[in-house]
Amino acid sequence: MKKILPIVVSLVLSISCSEKEKEVDYSLLSDEERLEMAKEFTKNTILVDGHMDLPFRMYNMGNTMTGDVYDFINKSDQGNIDYVRAKEGGMDAPFMAIYIPAGYQEKGGAKDLADTLIMMVERLAETWPDQLALAKSPKEIEDNFSKGLLSLPMGIENAAAIEDKLENVEYFYDKGIRYMTLTHGKDNLVGDSSYDDAETHGGLSDFGKEVVKEMNRLGMIIDVSHITDKTFFDVAEISDAPIVATHSSARKFTPGFERNVSDEIIKKIAEKDGMVMITFGGSFVDQSFSEKNTENRAHIQSWMEENGLDRRDSAAMEYIKTYMSENKPTVHVSKVAEHIDYVAKMVGIDHVGLGSDFDGVGDTLPDGLKDASMYPNLIAELMKLGYSKEDLEKICYKNFFRVWNAVEAIAKK
């Protein structure tokens, strides 16, 4: 029987964690009721996202040391996150990705760029101390949450940032970096990238093996997104600590896309008590979306070559805008929930989380999950699949906190 919405919400909010009362079965509610529940849930529960590319977007907009501080605090129509949209969606701890494009591996300056991006994140917290705060541990995120502050933890994306110096791992740990993605678009000095066919090292390099051990020693989380399968299994063999894919989805839904994690890798991550943080981009969650996206890119490239134009030409811009509006593929937020459900059913609810890649996947995000204000839509989809309040808490932060604390505990031994 359909329940009256205010009564249902009141019932759920009255349930204490210590009480043994039967929890409301969200799957029996209407879509409207579930969404209201999801909004209340995200407002009252810590929500951690494993990966957002805001720092590099700020950098591209000229917000460097000599520029103005990026206006993160007011609502914007650019990018996927700002303070207002984060609060609307219940986001409490978006990991700021200190992203180092692979080009810096050849031309140099990777460490300097990492330092600049870290400084930019620090400036956000310094500029708005009543709304924002850095965070270097689960305890600090919890403390910030209790004060109503949005936490800005940081992770490096692409170990090229440490260049060829092992001591730079500790340097960045001391600056607040709490995870490091080992590669990005190209093989680097640490190991091989899933986007590169060169297989330079055939997995982890000897230097990469020392980097993994050093990360274990310091208590820095190893992020296995972006690496080849061979590199992953080298990491899994060497690391004493749990490992995390901070922004990857299940390869089951995108056959042949090595950037996503295979069933075998998912099982190994769980075996090591780590987790997969499901990413949101359409090409990561849906094969048909990916194929159509590839087809569109090929068509546009061919059209520009035939007409002697490039993307900067006004005629090309107009054509691309019209063509994409008529041919753009779509995918629904429910597909992201399907990936979460797939991992949870395979290895258990303790090994899955959220890693949007907001500000890093352009306009490929699913309907209903376009920016940080829309997390309740995803939570509502999980409720529809039968996930309980306890399950959702694990997905949103408890799993990641468990892994993070375990990594730090191993470092202290």
Side-chain angles (χ1 to χ4, degrees), residues 10-131:
S10 176
L11 173 61
V12 172
L13 295 180
S14 69
I15 296 178
S16 167
C17 292
S18 62
E19 292 174 339
K20 302 300 183 181
E21 300 175 36
K22 184 178 180 181
E23 188 176 337
V24 171
D25 186 344
Y26 299 127
S27 66
L28 300 179
L29 308 179
S30 69
D31 289 345
E32 180 188 21
E33 290 167 343
R34 268 191 297 270
L35 184 56
E36 289 302 315
M37 296 281 199
K39 289 177 180 177
E40 285 294 331
F41 174 84
T42 56
K43 184 171 70 176
N44 294 290
T45 303
I46 295 175
L47 185 53
V48 175
D49 189 302
H51 191 94
M52 292 197 194
D53 280 299
L54 173 67
F56 195 68
R57 181 163 71 82
M58 292 192 296
Y59 180 81
N60 283 335
M61 295 177 70
N63 300 104
T64 57
M65 187 176 294
T66 57
D68 296 330
V69 177
Y70 176 76
D71 184 9
F72 179 74
I73 214 69
N74 292 302
K75 192 167 186 176
S76 172
D77 59 0
Q78 297 181 330
N80 306 125
I81 184 171
D82 48 54
Y83 179 77
V84 174
R85 285 182 287 176
K87 282 296 184 178
E88 288 175 355
M91 169 47 55
D92 302 295
F95 258 87
M96 298 287 98
I98 306 304
Y99 165 53
I100 309 301
Y104 284 82
Q105 297 166 198
E106 287 78 37
K107 67 183 181 182
K111 179 177 177 293
D112 289 342
L113 176 59
D115 282 333
T116 298
L117 297 179
I118 290 169
M119 176 273 297
M120 292 168 67
V121 175
E122 291 171 341
R123 286 180 70 196
L124 291 179
E126 292 165 359
T127 304
W128 294 288
D130 293 334
Q131 289 88 19

Side-chain angles (χ1 to χ4, degrees), residues 69-259:
V69 177
Y70 176 76
D71 184 9
F72 179 74
I73 214 69
N74 292 302
K75 192 167 186 176
S76 172
D77 59 0
Q78 297 181 330
N80 306 125
I81 184 171
D82 48 54
Y83 179 77
V84 174
R85 285 182 287 176
K87 282 296 184 178
E88 288 175 355
M91 169 47 55
D92 302 295
F95 258 87
M96 298 287 98
I98 306 304
Y99 165 53
I100 309 301
Y104 284 82
Q105 297 166 198
E106 287 78 37
K107 67 183 181 182
K111 179 177 177 293
D112 289 342
L113 176 59
D115 282 333
T116 298
L117 297 179
I118 290 169
M119 176 273 297
M120 292 168 67
V121 175
E122 291 171 341
R123 286 180 70 196
L124 291 179
E126 292 165 359
T127 304
W128 294 288
D130 293 334
Q131 289 88 19
L132 310 175
L134 300 176
K136 301 176 183 178
S137 69
K139 178 66 164 56
E140 289 186 7
I141 293 176
E142 289 173 335
D143 289 345
N144 291 340
F145 180 75
S146 69
K147 299 172 187 174
L149 299 174
L150 178 71
S151 292
L152 298 177
M154 293 184 288
I156 283 177
E157 183 177 29
N158 192 355
I162 66 171
E163 298 179 338
D164 59 351
K165 297 178 176 62
L166 187 65
E167 60 265 29
N168 280 338
V169 181
E170 185 167 9
Y171 169 83
F172 283 118
Y173 183 86
D174 290 343
K175 291 183 77 73
I177 295 299
R178 288 300 179 265
Y179 78 67
M180 185 161 66
T181 317
L182 298 182
T183 70
H184 194 260
K186 294 287 185 180
D187 298 352
N188 60 21
L189 295 179
V190 169
D192 296 341
S193 163
S194 61
Y195 283 137
D196 193 337
D197 296 328
E199 296 190 0
T200 303
H201 309 288
L204 273 180
S205 67
D206 289 340
F207 178 61
K209 293 172 183 176
E210 294 305 311
V211 168
V212 167
K213 293 175 184 177
E214 179 70 352
M215 292 174 74
N216 279 179
R217 184 186 74 81
L218 293 168
M220 185 184 289
I221 298 166
I222 299 166
D223 176 17
V224 295
S225 291
H226 280 285
I227 60 178
T228 63
D229 290 2
K230 290 180 181 178
T231 309
F232 168 82
F233 284 106
D234 283 349
V235 173
E237 181 178 352
I238 294 169
S239 178
D240 291 326
I243 50 184
V244 177
T246 66
H247 57 303
S248 296
S249 293
R251 198 181 302 169
K252 166 74 174 179
F253 299 90
T254 56
F257 185 35
E258 192 173 16
R259 172 64 180 80

